[in-house]
Amino acid sequence: SILWSFAALEHVPSKATMDEIKHSLRLFIPALTSQGVSNSIWALARLNKQVDQELVEALLGRSLELRMQWSPQCVSNCLWALASMEYYRPMTTHNNNNNNHHHHNY
């Protein structure tokens, strides 16, 4: 993808170009493979130090749909990217009558 290409070249595009790339990426998320999701999250981390929460959430949502297809390399790249962006999603707690369960929302 063009996003990955910019990141691999370590070329940060203008804000307007980056906004257009992000817009296009949002449209194509449903068609992304696990490699595409991983590459996109990696590239966002390389190019942006400020997290685009909605875009990352959408990519992570797609990653859950593809969870059985992820290679160790894709998982590693994605985890590095999320850590690099200092991405944080709080754990939610649900109270189910007698039982208290802690669920991770991924």
Side-chain angles (χ1 to χ4, degrees):
S1 76
I2 193 165
L3 182 64
W4 182 89
S5 299
F6 277 130
L9 293 171
E10 297 182 7
H11 175 76
V12 179
S14 69
K15 181 179 178 341
T17 300
M18 195 66 187
D19 288 346
E20 284 296 319
I21 292 170
K22 288 179 183 180
H23 175 74
S24 295
L25 178 58
R26 281 183 176 89
L27 297 176
F28 286 100
I29 286 174
L32 289 176
T33 63
S34 58
Q35 183 74 45
V37 172
S38 175
N39 287 349
S40 297
I41 292 174
W42 177 85
L44 287 171
R46 296 275 298 189
L47 296 174
N48 282 332
K49 294 307 173 194
Q50 188 161 350
V51 178
D52 183 329
Q53 190 82 16
E54 283 185 22
L55 183 54
V56 172
E57 290 287 329
L59 288 164
L60 290 176
R62 178 68 177 146
S63 75
L64 285 176
E65 295 170 6
L66 302 169
R67 65 187 164 272
M68 300 305 289
Q69 300 170 20
W70 279 68
S71 70
Q73 181 69 47
C74 287
V75 172
S76 176
N77 287 346
C78 190
L79 290 175
W80 173 87
L82 293 171
S84 176
M85 289 187 284
E86 297 180 3
Y87 175 82
Y88 173 75
R89 185 169 182 190
M91 185 172 68
T92 60
T93 304
H94 301 280
N95 188 348
N96 186 6
N97 294 336
N98 302 342
N99 302 326
N100 284 331
H101 297 281
H102 295 280
H103 296 280
H104 294 281
N105 286 333
Y106 297 102

